[in-house]
Amino acid sequence: MEDNQIIELYFSRDESALTETAKKYGTFCLRIAMNVLSVKEDAEECVNDTYHTAWNQIPPTRPDSFRAFLGRIVRNCSISKYRARHAKKRFNGMEVMLSELNDCVPAQGDVEQEIEAKELSKYINTWLEGLKTEDRVLFVRRYWYGEEVRDLARQCEISATQMTQKMLRLRRKLKAFLEEKGVVL
Amino acid sequence: MKNEKLYDAISDIREEFIEEAENYKFKKRVAPRLIKWGSMAACFCLVVLGASLAMSGAFAKKGMKSDGYNGGSVGPTATPAPGENLSGSGLLTVLAYNGALFNVSNNLADLNAAGIPDIISPEDCGPSLGNLKKTLNGYEETTQSTDIELFKYAPAYSNTAVYVIRDGEDYMAGLFSNNLPVGDENDYSPISELFRRYGVEKAEHISAVQLYSGYWQNDLPVEPAEKNITERAALDAFYEAILSMEHECYSREERLQIKLSEDPKQFASSTLQVASTICITTGEGLKFYLSWDEDSGWLFSTGAKAYYRITEEMQTWLNEYFK
Protein backbone atom coordinates (compact mmCIF):
# COMPACT_ATOMS: atom_id res chain seq x y z
CA MET A 1 0.00 0.00 0.00
CA GLU A 2 1.24 3.51 -0.83
CA ASP A 3 2.24 5.80 2.05
CA ASN A 4 -0.46 8.35 1.27
CA GLN A 5 -3.11 5.61 1.36
CA ILE A 6 -1.88 4.52 4.80
CA ILE A 7 -1.94 8.13 5.99
CA GLU A 8 -5.50 8.47 4.75
CA LEU A 9 -6.43 5.47 6.92
CA TYR A 10 -5.04 7.36 9.92
CA PHE A 11 -7.07 10.40 8.98
CA SER A 12 -10.25 8.36 8.75
CA ARG A 13 -9.37 6.77 12.14
CA ASP A 14 -9.35 3.33 10.55
CA GLU A 15 -7.38 0.97 12.78
CA SER A 16 -6.13 -1.00 9.78
CA ALA A 17 -3.70 1.97 9.47
CA LEU A 18 -1.69 0.32 12.25
CA THR A 19 -1.66 -3.08 10.54
CA GLU A 20 -0.63 -1.56 7.22
CA THR A 21 2.09 0.47 8.93
CA ALA A 22 3.40 -2.63 10.65
CA LYS A 23 3.30 -4.57 7.39
CA LYS A 24 5.24 -1.97 5.44
CA TYR A 25 7.52 -0.42 8.05
CA GLY A 26 7.64 -2.95 10.88
CA THR A 27 11.05 -4.32 9.89
CA PHE A 28 12.43 -0.86 9.23
CA CYS A 29 11.35 0.38 12.68
CA LEU A 30 12.58 -2.74 14.44
CA ARG A 31 15.94 -2.43 12.72
CA ILE A 32 16.46 1.10 14.04
CA ALA A 33 15.30 0.21 17.55
CA MET A 34 17.53 -2.88 17.59
CA ASN A 35 20.53 -0.88 16.37
CA VAL A 36 20.13 1.43 19.32
CA LEU A 37 18.88 -0.82 22.09
CA SER A 38 20.29 -4.26 21.22
CA VAL A 39 17.55 -5.94 23.28
CA LYS A 40 14.78 -7.47 21.20
CA GLU A 41 11.97 -7.13 23.76
CA ASP A 42 12.74 -3.45 24.33
CA ALA A 43 13.06 -2.82 20.62
CA GLU A 44 9.69 -4.45 19.96
CA GLU A 45 8.11 -2.41 22.72
CA CYS A 46 9.52 0.73 21.11
CA VAL A 47 8.09 -0.24 17.74
CA ASN A 48 4.63 -0.77 19.25
CA ASP A 49 4.87 2.60 20.98
CA THR A 50 5.81 4.09 17.63
CA TYR A 51 2.56 2.92 16.06
CA HIS A 52 0.56 4.41 18.92
CA THR A 53 2.42 7.69 18.71
CA ALA A 54 1.81 7.80 14.95
CA TRP A 55 -1.89 7.14 15.61
CA ASN A 56 -1.98 10.05 18.04
CA GLN A 57 -0.07 12.47 15.85
CA ILE A 58 -1.87 11.74 12.56
CA PRO A 59 -4.10 13.69 12.33
CA PRO A 60 -3.34 16.57 12.58
CA THR A 61 0.17 15.89 11.32
CA ARG A 62 0.41 14.88 7.68
CA PRO A 63 3.99 13.66 7.24
CA ASP A 64 5.74 14.37 3.97
CA SER A 65 7.98 11.36 4.37
CA PHE A 66 6.19 8.66 6.32
CA ARG A 67 9.38 6.61 6.62
CA ALA A 68 11.34 9.50 8.16
CA PHE A 69 8.38 10.36 10.38
CA LEU A 70 8.24 6.84 11.81
CA GLY A 71 12.02 6.58 12.05
CA ARG A 72 12.18 9.75 14.08
CA ILE A 73 9.58 8.44 16.53
CA VAL A 74 11.47 5.15 16.93
CA ARG A 75 14.72 7.01 17.58
CA ASN A 76 13.09 9.25 20.18
CA CYS A 77 11.44 6.29 21.84
CA SER A 78 14.71 4.37 21.86
CA ILE A 79 16.65 7.17 23.53
CA SER A 80 13.91 7.58 26.12
CA LYS A 81 14.12 3.90 26.92
CA TYR A 82 17.89 4.10 27.00
CA ARG A 83 17.77 7.03 29.41
CA ALA A 84 15.20 5.33 31.63
CA ARG A 85 17.16 2.12 31.91
CA HIS A 86 20.67 3.43 31.50
CA ALA A 87 21.76 2.03 34.86
CA LYS A 88 21.28 -1.50 33.65
CA LYS A 89 24.01 -1.03 31.02
CA ARG A 90 22.31 -3.29 28.56
CA PHE A 91 22.34 -1.08 25.54
CA ASN A 92 25.60 -1.74 23.78
CA GLY A 93 24.56 -0.18 20.50
CA MET A 94 23.66 3.13 22.09
CA GLU A 95 26.69 3.17 24.41
CA VAL A 96 29.07 2.80 21.49
CA MET A 97 27.25 5.34 19.35
CA LEU A 98 27.19 7.94 22.11
CA SER A 99 30.86 7.44 22.94
CA GLU A 100 31.70 7.97 19.26
CA LEU A 101 29.63 11.16 19.21
CA ASN A 102 31.88 12.54 21.96
CA ASP A 103 34.40 13.10 19.17
CA CYS A 104 32.05 15.63 17.61
CA VAL A 105 31.59 17.73 20.77
CA PRO A 106 33.26 21.07 20.05
CA ALA A 107 35.77 22.55 22.49
CA GLN A 108 34.47 25.37 24.68
CA GLY A 109 34.52 28.60 22.66
CA ASP A 110 34.15 32.27 23.46
CA VAL A 111 30.39 32.27 23.27
CA GLU A 112 29.22 30.74 26.49
CA GLN A 113 25.58 30.33 25.60
CA GLU A 114 24.47 26.77 25.04
CA ILE A 115 22.88 25.99 21.74
CA GLU A 116 19.36 24.55 21.50
CA ALA A 117 18.95 21.10 19.92
CA LYS A 118 16.81 22.57 17.14
CA GLU A 119 19.47 25.14 16.28
CA LEU A 120 22.11 22.44 16.41
CA SER A 121 20.09 20.36 13.90
CA LYS A 122 20.27 23.26 11.47
CA TYR A 123 24.05 23.35 11.71
CA ILE A 124 24.25 19.60 11.22
CA ASN A 125 21.98 19.88 8.18
CA THR A 126 24.25 22.54 6.68
CA TRP A 127 27.29 20.38 7.37
CA LEU A 128 25.66 17.30 5.85
CA GLU A 129 24.68 19.30 2.79
CA GLY A 130 28.33 20.10 2.13
CA LEU A 131 29.49 16.48 2.31
CA LYS A 132 29.97 14.11 -0.61
CA THR A 133 26.90 11.91 -1.02
CA GLU A 134 28.69 8.77 0.06
CA ASP A 135 30.08 10.37 3.22
CA ARG A 136 26.68 11.83 4.07
CA VAL A 137 25.01 8.46 3.60
CA LEU A 138 27.60 6.81 5.83
CA PHE A 139 27.14 9.38 8.57
CA VAL A 140 23.34 9.15 8.46
CA ARG A 141 23.37 5.35 8.40
CA ARG A 142 25.71 5.25 11.37
CA TYR A 143 24.25 7.98 13.56
CA TRP A 144 20.62 8.19 12.47
CA TYR A 145 19.88 4.55 11.62
CA GLY A 146 22.45 3.30 14.16
CA GLU A 147 23.97 0.75 11.77
CA GLU A 148 27.14 -0.87 13.01
CA VAL A 149 30.55 0.03 11.63
CA ARG A 150 31.27 -3.51 10.49
CA ASP A 151 27.99 -3.64 8.55
CA LEU A 152 28.78 -0.36 6.85
CA ALA A 153 32.26 -1.67 6.02
CA ARG A 154 30.71 -4.73 4.41
CA GLN A 155 28.35 -2.59 2.34
CA CYS A 156 31.26 -0.45 1.11
CA GLU A 157 33.47 -3.46 0.60
CA ILE A 158 36.26 -2.08 2.76
CA SER A 159 37.73 -3.38 6.01
CA ALA A 160 36.18 -2.51 9.37
CA THR A 161 39.40 -0.69 10.32
CA GLN A 162 39.20 1.46 7.21
CA MET A 163 35.56 2.24 7.96
CA THR A 164 36.41 3.13 11.56
CA GLN A 165 39.01 5.58 10.26
CA LYS A 166 36.53 6.99 7.77
CA MET A 167 33.94 7.55 10.50
CA LEU A 168 36.53 9.12 12.79
CA ARG A 169 37.48 11.57 10.03
CA LEU A 170 33.81 12.44 9.54
CA ARG A 171 33.28 13.05 13.26
CA ARG A 172 36.37 15.26 13.42
CA LYS A 173 35.12 17.18 10.41
CA LEU A 174 31.80 17.78 12.17
CA LYS A 175 33.59 18.87 15.32
CA ALA A 176 35.74 21.33 13.35
CA PHE A 177 32.65 22.66 11.58
CA LEU A 178 30.77 23.22 14.85
CA GLU A 179 33.79 24.92 16.41
CA GLU A 180 34.13 27.16 13.40
CA LYS A 181 30.49 28.19 13.88
CA GLY A 182 31.12 28.90 17.58
CA VAL A 183 28.70 26.22 18.73
CA VAL A 184 28.78 25.35 22.44
CA LEU A 185 26.93 22.26 23.62
CA MET B 1 25.10 14.82 28.30
CA LYS B 2 26.57 16.60 25.31
CA ASN B 3 26.72 13.54 23.11
CA GLU B 4 23.04 12.85 23.84
CA LYS B 5 22.29 16.38 22.76
CA LEU B 6 24.05 15.64 19.50
CA TYR B 7 22.07 12.43 19.16
CA ASP B 8 18.84 14.40 19.63
CA ALA B 9 19.91 17.00 17.09
CA ILE B 10 20.79 14.28 14.59
CA SER B 11 17.25 12.90 15.05
CA ASP B 12 15.92 16.05 13.43
CA ILE B 13 18.04 16.14 10.31
CA ARG B 14 16.26 16.75 7.04
CA GLU B 15 13.98 13.99 5.77
CA GLU B 16 15.69 14.02 2.38
CA PHE B 17 18.95 12.89 4.03
CA ILE B 18 17.13 10.06 5.80
CA GLU B 19 15.50 8.91 2.56
CA GLU B 20 18.75 9.26 0.68
CA ALA B 21 20.62 7.10 3.19
CA GLU B 22 17.93 4.43 3.04
CA ASN B 23 17.88 4.21 -0.74
CA TYR B 24 21.54 4.79 -1.58
CA LYS B 25 23.48 1.93 -3.14
CA PHE B 26 27.22 2.07 -2.61
CA LYS B 27 29.23 1.77 -5.78
CA LYS B 28 30.78 -1.62 -6.25
CA ARG B 29 34.47 -1.32 -5.74
CA VAL B 30 36.66 -2.87 -8.40
CA ALA B 31 39.04 -5.45 -6.97
CA PRO B 32 42.74 -4.42 -7.15
CA ARG B 33 43.64 -7.28 -9.52
CA LEU B 34 40.95 -6.19 -11.96
CA ILE B 35 42.22 -2.62 -11.74
CA LYS B 36 45.72 -3.83 -12.64
CA TRP B 37 44.63 -5.87 -15.67
CA GLY B 38 42.05 -3.28 -16.63
CA SER B 39 44.71 -0.54 -16.67
CA MET B 40 47.01 -2.63 -18.81
CA ALA B 41 44.21 -3.36 -21.25
CA ALA B 42 43.30 0.34 -21.42
CA CYS B 43 46.94 1.30 -22.12
CA PHE B 44 47.09 -1.26 -24.87
CA CYS B 45 43.92 0.09 -26.46
CA LEU B 46 45.29 3.66 -26.32
CA VAL B 47 48.50 2.60 -28.02
CA VAL B 48 46.57 0.86 -30.78
CA LEU B 49 44.16 3.80 -31.19
CA GLY B 50 47.01 6.36 -31.24
CA ALA B 51 48.88 4.41 -33.84
CA SER B 52 45.87 4.04 -36.09
CA LEU B 53 45.00 7.75 -35.81
CA ALA B 54 48.55 8.74 -36.59
CA MET B 55 48.52 6.52 -39.62
CA SER B 56 45.24 7.96 -40.91
CA GLY B 57 46.58 11.51 -40.43
CA ALA B 58 43.70 12.55 -38.20
CA PHE B 59 45.93 14.69 -35.96
CA ALA B 60 47.09 16.64 -38.94
CA LYS B 61 43.64 18.12 -39.45
CA LYS B 62 43.65 21.72 -38.27
CA GLY B 63 40.97 23.45 -36.23
CA MET B 64 39.97 20.34 -34.30
CA LYS B 65 38.15 21.43 -31.17
CA SER B 66 37.43 19.84 -27.92
CA ASP B 67 33.83 18.69 -27.63
CA GLY B 68 33.37 20.97 -24.65
CA TYR B 69 31.96 18.19 -22.52
CA ASN B 70 32.33 19.22 -18.93
CA GLY B 71 32.19 15.82 -17.39
CA GLY B 72 28.47 15.91 -16.88
CA SER B 73 28.56 18.00 -13.73
CA VAL B 74 25.15 18.54 -12.23
CA GLY B 75 24.18 21.38 -9.92
CA PRO B 76 23.18 20.73 -6.33
CA THR B 77 19.84 19.08 -5.88
CA ALA B 78 17.15 21.66 -5.34
CA THR B 79 15.81 21.51 -1.82
CA PRO B 80 12.46 23.02 -0.98
CA ALA B 81 12.65 26.26 0.94
CA PRO B 82 11.18 26.25 4.42
CA GLY B 83 7.48 26.86 4.32
CA GLU B 84 7.25 25.66 0.72
CA ASN B 85 6.26 22.33 2.05
CA LEU B 86 2.84 22.31 0.46
CA SER B 87 0.54 19.45 1.19
CA GLY B 88 -3.06 18.78 0.29
CA SER B 89 -6.26 20.55 1.28
CA GLY B 90 -4.80 24.05 1.43
CA LEU B 91 -2.63 23.35 4.45
CA LEU B 92 0.49 25.32 3.74
CA THR B 93 2.57 24.69 6.80
CA VAL B 94 2.40 24.96 10.58
CA LEU B 95 2.97 27.70 13.10
CA ALA B 96 4.55 27.00 16.47
CA TYR B 97 3.47 29.77 18.79
CA ASN B 98 2.88 30.22 22.48
CA GLY B 99 3.47 26.55 23.27
CA ALA B 100 0.96 25.30 20.71
CA LEU B 101 0.86 24.19 17.13
CA PHE B 102 -1.40 25.75 14.50
CA ASN B 103 -2.27 24.63 10.98
CA VAL B 104 -1.62 27.48 8.59
CA SER B 105 -4.22 27.45 5.86
CA ASN B 106 -6.10 29.64 3.42
CA ASN B 107 -8.24 26.81 2.10
CA LEU B 108 -11.95 27.58 2.18
CA ALA B 109 -12.93 24.15 3.55
CA ASP B 110 -10.41 24.43 6.42
CA LEU B 111 -11.60 27.93 7.21
CA ASN B 112 -15.25 26.91 7.12
CA ALA B 113 -14.59 23.91 9.35
CA ALA B 114 -13.24 26.34 11.92
CA GLY B 115 -16.20 28.66 11.43
CA ILE B 116 -14.32 31.28 9.41
CA PRO B 117 -16.62 32.20 6.57
CA ASP B 118 -14.40 33.54 3.80
CA ILE B 119 -10.85 33.98 2.62
CA ILE B 120 -8.49 35.72 5.01
CA SER B 121 -7.80 39.35 4.11
CA PRO B 122 -6.09 42.38 5.72
CA GLU B 123 -9.47 43.31 7.28
CA ASP B 124 -9.26 40.19 9.45
CA CYS B 125 -6.05 41.40 11.12
CA GLY B 126 -6.40 42.44 14.74
CA PRO B 127 -3.50 43.82 16.78
CA SER B 128 -0.05 42.73 15.63
CA LEU B 129 1.65 40.15 17.82
CA GLY B 130 5.10 40.43 16.25
CA ASN B 131 7.19 38.91 13.53
CA LEU B 132 7.59 35.31 12.45
CA LYS B 133 10.37 33.55 10.61
CA LYS B 134 10.32 30.50 8.38
CA THR B 135 11.99 27.39 9.70
CA LEU B 136 12.35 23.91 8.30
CA ASN B 137 9.14 22.99 10.09
CA GLY B 138 7.05 26.05 9.34
CA TYR B 139 6.72 29.42 11.05
CA GLU B 140 8.16 30.45 14.40
CA GLU B 141 8.31 33.61 16.47
CA THR B 142 11.34 35.83 16.03
CA THR B 143 12.60 39.10 17.43
CA GLN B 144 14.20 39.92 14.08
CA SER B 145 12.41 42.16 11.64
CA THR B 146 10.90 40.04 8.84
CA ASP B 147 8.20 40.40 6.22
CA ILE B 148 6.07 37.83 8.04
CA GLU B 149 3.71 39.06 10.73
CA LEU B 150 1.35 37.49 13.21
CA PHE B 151 -1.96 39.14 14.13
CA LYS B 152 -4.89 38.40 16.36
CA TYR B 153 -7.96 37.35 14.41
CA ALA B 154 -10.23 40.39 14.44
CA PRO B 155 -13.71 39.20 13.39
CA ALA B 156 -14.28 36.79 16.29
CA TYR B 157 -13.19 36.73 19.89
CA SER B 158 -10.75 33.90 20.36
CA ASN B 159 -8.20 33.60 23.10
CA THR B 160 -5.67 31.59 21.17
CA ALA B 161 -7.50 29.37 18.70
CA VAL B 162 -7.22 31.49 15.55
CA TYR B 163 -4.51 33.86 14.33
CA VAL B 164 -3.85 35.65 11.06
CA ILE B 165 -0.46 35.28 9.40
CA ARG B 166 0.73 37.71 6.75
CA ASP B 167 3.62 36.37 4.71
CA GLY B 168 4.52 39.11 2.23
CA GLU B 169 1.21 39.76 0.52
CA ASP B 170 -0.37 36.42 1.44
CA TYR B 171 -2.84 36.24 4.30
CA MET B 172 -3.53 32.92 6.01
CA ALA B 173 -5.23 31.65 9.14
CA GLY B 174 -3.37 29.88 11.94
CA LEU B 175 -5.88 27.34 13.26
CA PHE B 176 -5.24 25.68 16.60
CA SER B 177 -4.40 22.06 15.98
CA ASN B 178 -2.28 20.72 18.79
CA ASN B 179 -1.31 21.74 22.24
CA LEU B 180 2.36 21.01 21.89
CA PRO B 181 4.67 21.13 18.92
CA VAL B 182 6.81 18.37 20.33
CA GLY B 183 4.79 15.57 21.78
CA ASP B 184 5.01 15.09 25.49
CA GLU B 185 2.62 12.33 26.43
CA ASN B 186 1.79 13.82 29.78
CA ASP B 187 1.17 17.39 28.73
CA TYR B 188 -2.44 17.93 27.82
CA SER B 189 -5.19 20.44 28.45
CA PRO B 190 -8.13 20.15 30.79
CA ILE B 191 -11.41 20.54 28.96
CA SER B 192 -12.04 24.09 30.19
CA GLU B 193 -8.71 25.14 28.64
CA LEU B 194 -9.81 23.81 25.26
CA PHE B 195 -13.03 25.81 25.49
CA ARG B 196 -11.14 28.91 26.65
CA ARG B 197 -8.96 28.81 23.52
CA TYR B 198 -12.10 29.39 21.48
CA GLY B 199 -13.28 32.18 23.73
CA VAL B 200 -15.80 30.08 25.68
CA GLU B 201 -15.60 31.02 29.35
CA LYS B 202 -19.26 30.72 30.22
CA ALA B 203 -22.36 29.02 28.86
CA GLU B 204 -23.54 32.14 26.99
CA HIS B 205 -20.45 31.93 24.79
CA ILE B 206 -21.80 28.77 23.15
CA SER B 207 -24.39 29.21 20.40
CA ALA B 208 -24.88 25.60 19.22
CA VAL B 209 -23.86 22.03 19.90
CA GLN B 210 -24.26 19.60 17.02
CA LEU B 211 -23.90 15.88 16.62
CA TYR B 212 -22.44 14.31 13.46
CA SER B 213 -21.92 10.62 12.83
CA GLY B 214 -18.30 9.55 12.26
CA TYR B 215 -14.99 11.29 12.85
CA TRP B 216 -14.80 14.88 11.68
CA GLN B 217 -12.22 16.69 13.78
CA ASN B 218 -10.08 17.81 10.87
CA ASP B 219 -12.58 18.24 8.09
CA LEU B 220 -15.72 20.11 7.43
CA PRO B 221 -18.60 17.72 8.09
CA VAL B 222 -20.29 17.06 4.77
CA GLU B 223 -23.38 15.40 6.19
CA PRO B 224 -26.13 17.37 7.84
CA ALA B 225 -25.96 17.29 11.62
CA GLU B 226 -28.00 14.53 13.19
CA LYS B 227 -28.84 16.80 16.11
CA ASN B 228 -28.61 20.54 16.45
CA ILE B 229 -29.02 21.93 19.93
CA THR B 230 -29.51 25.69 20.17
CA GLU B 231 -31.94 26.14 23.07
CA ARG B 232 -30.39 28.24 25.77
CA ALA B 233 -31.33 25.97 28.67
CA ALA B 234 -29.86 22.95 26.92
CA LEU B 235 -26.63 24.84 26.13
CA ASP B 236 -26.34 26.01 29.74
CA ALA B 237 -26.73 22.43 30.91
CA PHE B 238 -24.15 21.32 28.33
CA TYR B 239 -21.53 23.76 29.62
CA GLU B 240 -22.26 22.70 33.20
CA ALA B 241 -21.74 19.08 32.15
CA ILE B 242 -18.48 20.02 30.40
CA LEU B 243 -17.20 21.63 33.61
CA SER B 244 -18.10 18.48 35.53
CA MET B 245 -15.46 16.72 33.40
CA GLU B 246 -12.69 19.13 34.41
CA HIS B 247 -10.85 16.55 36.48
CA GLU B 248 -11.59 13.63 34.15
CA CYS B 249 -8.72 14.52 31.86
CA TYR B 250 -6.16 11.89 30.85
CA SER B 251 -3.28 11.30 28.52
CA ARG B 252 -3.40 8.44 26.02
CA GLU B 253 -1.26 6.27 28.29
CA GLU B 254 -3.35 6.99 31.36
CA ARG B 255 -6.52 6.24 29.45
CA LEU B 256 -5.01 2.99 28.23
CA GLN B 257 -4.19 1.99 31.80
CA ILE B 258 -7.73 2.80 32.92
CA LYS B 259 -9.24 0.78 30.09
CA LEU B 260 -6.90 -2.11 30.72
CA SER B 261 -7.72 -2.19 34.40
CA GLU B 262 -11.45 -2.05 33.68
CA ASP B 263 -11.52 -4.67 30.95
CA PRO B 264 -8.15 -6.32 30.34
CA LYS B 265 -9.47 -8.97 27.95
CA GLN B 266 -11.22 -6.69 25.59
CA PHE B 267 -8.63 -3.99 25.08
CA ALA B 268 -5.30 -4.33 23.33
CA SER B 269 -4.76 -0.91 21.85
CA SER B 270 -5.36 2.67 22.85
CA THR B 271 -7.45 3.59 19.87
CA LEU B 272 -10.83 5.18 20.26
CA GLN B 273 -13.91 3.60 18.74
CA VAL B 274 -15.21 6.90 17.51
CA ALA B 275 -18.83 6.74 16.54
CA SER B 276 -19.74 10.41 16.51
CA THR B 277 -18.34 13.89 16.58
CA ILE B 278 -19.69 16.72 18.67
CA CYS B 279 -19.26 20.16 17.11
CA ILE B 280 -19.33 23.17 19.39
CA THR B 281 -20.07 26.56 17.78
CA THR B 282 -19.16 29.63 19.78
CA GLY B 283 -21.23 32.80 19.94
CA GLU B 284 -18.65 34.35 17.60
CA GLY B 285 -19.12 31.57 15.06
CA LEU B 286 -15.89 29.62 15.62
CA LYS B 287 -16.17 25.83 15.60
CA PHE B 288 -14.28 23.05 17.31
CA TYR B 289 -14.82 19.33 17.74
CA LEU B 290 -14.85 16.53 20.28
CA SER B 291 -14.84 12.86 19.25
CA TRP B 292 -17.28 10.69 21.14
CA ASP B 293 -16.60 7.06 21.93
CA GLU B 294 -20.09 6.11 23.01
CA ASP B 295 -19.36 2.50 23.94
CA SER B 296 -16.66 3.14 26.48
CA GLY B 297 -17.76 6.64 27.49
CA TRP B 298 -14.91 8.94 26.44
CA LEU B 299 -14.57 12.23 24.64
CA PHE B 300 -11.36 13.04 22.79
CA SER B 301 -9.87 16.24 21.46
CA THR B 302 -7.08 16.04 18.90
CA GLY B 303 -6.35 19.69 19.57
CA ALA B 304 -6.01 19.46 23.30
CA LYS B 305 -4.33 16.07 22.91
CA ALA B 306 -6.43 14.77 25.76
CA TYR B 307 -8.99 12.13 26.59
CA TYR B 308 -11.92 13.14 28.80
CA ARG B 309 -13.93 10.52 30.66
CA ILE B 310 -17.64 11.19 30.47
CA THR B 311 -19.12 11.97 33.88
CA GLU B 312 -22.59 11.03 35.01
CA GLU B 313 -23.75 14.59 34.46
CA MET B 314 -22.44 14.61 30.87
CA GLN B 315 -23.91 11.16 30.19
CA THR B 316 -27.31 12.39 31.34
CA TRP B 317 -27.06 15.36 28.99
CA LEU B 318 -25.97 13.18 26.07
CA ASN B 319 -28.81 10.73 26.73
CA GLU B 320 -31.33 13.51 26.82
CA TYR B 321 -30.25 15.43 23.73
CA PHE B 322 -28.18 13.14 21.50
CA LYS B 323 -29.92 9.77 21.77
Side-chain angles (χ1 to χ4, degrees), chain B residues 101-272:
Chain B
L101 201 63
F102 298 81
N103 286 335
V104 178
S105 177
N106 55 10
N107 177 281
L108 190 58
D110 292 341
L111 299 182
N112 284 355
I116 299 170
D118 210 335
I119 55 167
I120 295 281
S121 67
E123 286 75 56
D124 298 322
C125 294
S128 173
L129 296 167
N131 284 118
L132 301 174
K133 64 176 177 183
K134 280 178 181 173
T135 69
L136 285 170
N137 300 318
Y139 293 108
E140 256 179 30
E141 273 178 282
T142 180
T143 49
Q144 296 157 4
S145 175
T146 65
D147 195 26
I148 312 169
E149 206 173 352
L150 182 70
F151 300 92
K152 282 192 173 178
Y153 177 60
Y157 172 75
S158 149
N159 274 337
T160 49
V162 184
Y163 292 112
V164 176
I165 295 141
R166 179 189 61 78
D167 187 343
E169 291 178 358
D170 294 332
Y171 287 83
M172 297 160 283
L175 306 167
F176 173 60
S177 71
N178 199 323
N179 222 31
L180 276 179
V182 280
D184 178 345
E185 287 282 319
N186 296 314
D187 204 335
Y188 43 80
S189 298
I191 202 158
S192 64
E193 175 58 30
L194 175 67
F195 277 63
R196 246 196 308 277
R197 279 190 176 274
Y198 289 86
V200 177
E201 288 172 0
K202 43 189 172 179
E204 298 93 88
H205 294 152
I206 300 174
S207 68
V209 180
Q210 293 166 311
L211 179 73
Y212 292 93
S213 63
Y215 180 84
W216 291 108
Q217 288 215 6
N218 295 85
D219 301 298
L220 180 67
V222 288
E223 293 165 12
E226 288 184 4
K227 306 273 183 185
N228 185 18
I229 310 297
T230 52
E231 301 85 49
R232 181 43 48 201
L235 296 176
D236 289 352
F238 175 76
Y239 190 65
E240 278 299 307
I242 284 291
L243 293 183
S244 76
M245 293 168 64
E246 183 68 359
H247 300 295
E248 295 295 336
C249 174
Y250 301 93
S251 70
R252 184 185 65 86
E253 275 309 317
E254 288 167 341
R255 174 178 163 276
L256 176 62
Q257 289 307 320
I258 292 170
K259 288 202 79 174
L260 277 171
S261 63
E262 284 171 355
D263 192 353
K265 279 186 200 160
Q266 185 235 348
F267 197 65
S269 80
S270 64
T271 53
L272 273 188

Side-chain angles (χ1 to χ4, degrees), chain B residues 286-297:
Chain B
L286 299 176
K287 290 178 185 206
F288 60 104
Y289 303 88
L290 285 167
S291 296
W292 180 19
D293 179 350
E294 292 177 51
D295 292 340
S296 58

Side-chain angles (χ1 to χ4, degrees), chain A residues 1 5 15 21 26 48 54 60 75 77 86-87 98-100 102 106 136 139 142 164 168 182-183:
Chain A
M1 191 181 271
Q5 290 173 301
E15 286 182 40
T21 306
N48 284 333
R75 274 178 63 86
C77 175
H86 182 58
L98 287 178
S99 71
E100 286 181 13
N102 272 331
R136 180 165 61 237
F139 188 88
R142 176 74 191 113
T164 307
L168 181 63
V183 171

